[in-house]
Structures are given as structure tokens and as C-alpha cells.
Amino acid sequence: MRRPRPPVTTSVEVSALTVRYGGVKAVDDFTLSHSSGGVIGLIGPNGAGKTTLLNALSGVTPPTSGTIRVNGRDLTGAGPVRTARLGVTRTFQNLQIFGSLTVLQNVMLPRTARSVHLSLGHVLGLAGSRKRVEAERRTAGELLDRVGLGPYAHLPAESLAYGLQRRVEIARALAGDPALLLLDEPLAGLARAESAGLTALFTDIAAEGVTVLMVEHDVAGVFAVSDRVLVLDHGRLLADGTSEQIAADPVVRAAYLGEET
Ligand SMILES: Nc1ncnc2c1ncn2[C@@H]1O[C@H](COP(=O)(O)OP(=O)(O)OP(=O)(O)O)[C@@H](O)[C@H]1O
């Protein structure tokens, strides 16, 4: 088992974030202050700007304006690699794993790729590097046990069932030791039992002190797992509250669930 980290408080401060694509404001003046950890669900209709917001938070898409700070560090415009180093990692809507690498290799990648010396030293067979790679292998193995992938460590990732491949991507994002973990539609295409297993995993991850922000269309899944739910509509924050508050919010029900007020 991976040793649980003592719970830490991650502070996320997003201020007036805007992402423009030509004339479209995909994210429009989005502000968020969060320091209580747990799972945050981000929902909204198609085209609401959810993925764009995740892309901005993870450094993939530079914002047009606004700022992003995590644990006091300014990540605005940092780019994906530096953003990951500063504690924000993610998964993607379309699974992005290295299918021909083993599950363990996929999970070792973020940490070994961080160090050119380590990678080079390993290739050259240097003793110090070998020891460190061994240590990384152990850490990755513990992480795989933690997410239920221990028995699959040495199989090619592409040979796993889809639900398990999702876990590989999540484990790889966790290997970057994030303060904030961004998940883009992690439950898409999963059977109910697999979804339930994954949402339980998100709760465990959050209990270790990682703030989890999850974009998801499965509203019931979001309500079941989230401590806080944000609703985005036309790039703007339409509502923000607990699952119970959001489920009962007439504005959300009208705009998102298509009900009449
Ligand atoms: N690369 C891009 N270039 C131009 N417009 C874009 C680009 N990416 C997204 N958009 C537009 O920005 C808006 C928000 O899109 P985005 O994909 O972020 O929404 P979403 O809430 O994630 O949607 P979905 O739930 O369908 O995945 C949409 O109007 C979309 O057409």
C-alpha cells in the first residue's frame, strides 16, 4: 500500500479567467477560491467550456486574461510541463496512455522523465541511477497497488480492459504527486460498477490531501462523489454549491437539465 500522505490543504485561487477563441469566449471571467480539498465536480451542457477550463488550469491552453494560483504559486501561462511540476496534473477526455508500454512503465514516466540525469544514467547503467530507478519502480508499484492495478503492473497497458486503462491514466497523473488533480470525463464509457469503483477511488485520493476537480457528464456520479459542485454555462459560472444545493437549484435545472422554472 502507498503510505497515505497526511491531509494537506490545497489552495486554488482562479481569478477572472477568460479564454477566447476568436469571437467565442469559451471561458468567461471564471473565478474560484477553494481551500477545503475534497472532490469538486464541474458540470455543464455541451460547449459550456469545461474542457477549455481544464486545459487552462493544466497549462495546455494559455488564458487570454486572468490568473491561476495553486498553493500560492502563480501558474498562469506556465505551460503543461511546468504546471505539472508545480502540482497540477490531469487526465484527458480521450484516454492518453502509452499502450505498448507496461502499466508500470506508464506510471514511472512522469517521475523518470523529470530527470534527464536519471534517464541518461539509467541508459548508461550508472549504479546511482540504477538505485534511484529501483526506488522509482517501488514507488510506482505502491501507487499501482493503491489504485487496484498491482496485478497488471507488467502487462502492456493496451491489453487491459477500458476501465482499467482509465485507472492507468489516473495513476500516472498521481505519480506526478499533484496538489490538484484534474479529471476530464473519467466516468465516460464505464459500466455502473466500474463508475462506482472509480468514484470511491476519487474519494480516497481526496482523503490523502489531493484536491480532485472532475469534469463529468454523469451528473448522478458527480452528485454522489463531490463535496462542491460548479456549474458552467456559456463559459460562465452559473452556480456553485453542495450537490444537494445544485440538484435543487431552479436556475441550474432550467439551464442545464432543461426544466421549466
Ligand atoms: N480549439 C478551439 N478552437 C475554437 N473554438 C473552440 C476550441 N475549443 C473549444 N472551442 C469552443 O469553445 C466552447 C467551449 O468548448 P469546450 O470543449 O470547452 O466545452 P465543453 O463544456 O467541454 O463541451 P463538451 O461537454 O461537449 O466536451 C465551444 O463553443 C467550442 O466550440
Side-chain angles (χ1 to χ4, degrees), residues 81-261:
V81 174
R82 193 153 167 268
T83 297
R85 280 191 188 148
L86 291 174
V88 181
T89 63
R90 68 171 294 174
T91 65
F92 293 85
Q93 205 167 325
N94 304 314
L95 201 59
Q96 292 194 11
I97 57 173
F98 296 94
S100 57
L101 298 185
T102 67
V103 170
L104 185 74
Q105 285 167 335
N106 267 276
V107 173
M108 284 180 71
L109 266 178
R111 295 174 70 98
T112 47
R114 266 184 195 180
S115 165
V116 174
H117 295 296
L118 187 58
S119 312
L120 250 174
H122 184 54
V123 170
L124 297 173
L126 301 182
S129 301
R130 266 207 314 272
K131 270 194 190 148
R132 279 190 54 201
V133 169
E134 266 321 305
E136 293 295 352
R137 204 187 301 278
R138 264 198 310 279
T139 305
E142 287 166 10
L143 183 50
L144 289 180
D145 288 339
R146 168 81 193 73
V147 302
L149 288 174
Y152 310 98
H154 301 292
L155 295 179
E158 65 197 1
S159 69
L160 269 54
Y162 182 70
L164 294 175
Q165 292 190 22
R166 283 244 162 247
R167 285 182 187 247
V168 174
E169 204 190 22
I170 292 164
R172 196 180 55 205
L174 284 174
D177 225 357
L180 175 63
L181 173 66
L182 307 171
L183 305 172
D184 199 354
E185 297 195 30
L187 307 180
L190 299 186
R192 188 156 294 278
E194 286 175 318
S195 279
L198 262 197
T199 49
L201 176 63
F202 302 155
T203 308
D204 288 351
I205 293 168
E208 288 183 5
V210 179
T211 299
V212 178
L213 194 158
M214 167 172 84
V215 166
E216 189 45 68
H217 280 284
D218 175 354
V219 177
V222 168
F223 287 166
V225 72
S226 301
D227 302 289
R228 180 176 182 179
V229 177
L230 310 174
V231 185
L232 211 59
D233 189 31
H234 294 102
R236 296 187 74 91
L237 190 59
L238 179 74
D240 176 359
T242 62
S243 298
E244 294 74 18
Q245 287 165 340
I246 297 300
D249 187 325
V251 176
V252 174
R253 297 183 78 92
Y256 182 31
L257 305 174
E259 289 184 7
E260 288 181 14
T261 45

Side-chain angles (χ1 to χ4, degrees), residues 1-16:
M1 270 299 260
R2 186 181 182 219
R3 188 159 13 107
R5 297 194 306 180
V8 288
T9 306
T10 305
S11 80
V12 181
E13 299 290 335
V14 182
S15 179

Side-chain angles (χ1 to χ4, degrees), residues 19-22 24-27 43-55 61 93 184-185 215-217 232 234-235:
V19 181
R20 228 181 230 284
Y21 293 116
V24 177
K25 274 189 186 172
V27 176
I43 60 175
N46 288 328
K50 304 177 298 294
T51 293
T52 305
L53 179 58
L54 237 57
N55 287 344
T61 301
Q93 205 167 325
D184 199 354
E185 297 195 30
V215 166
E216 189 45 68
H217 280 284
L232 211 59
H234 294 102

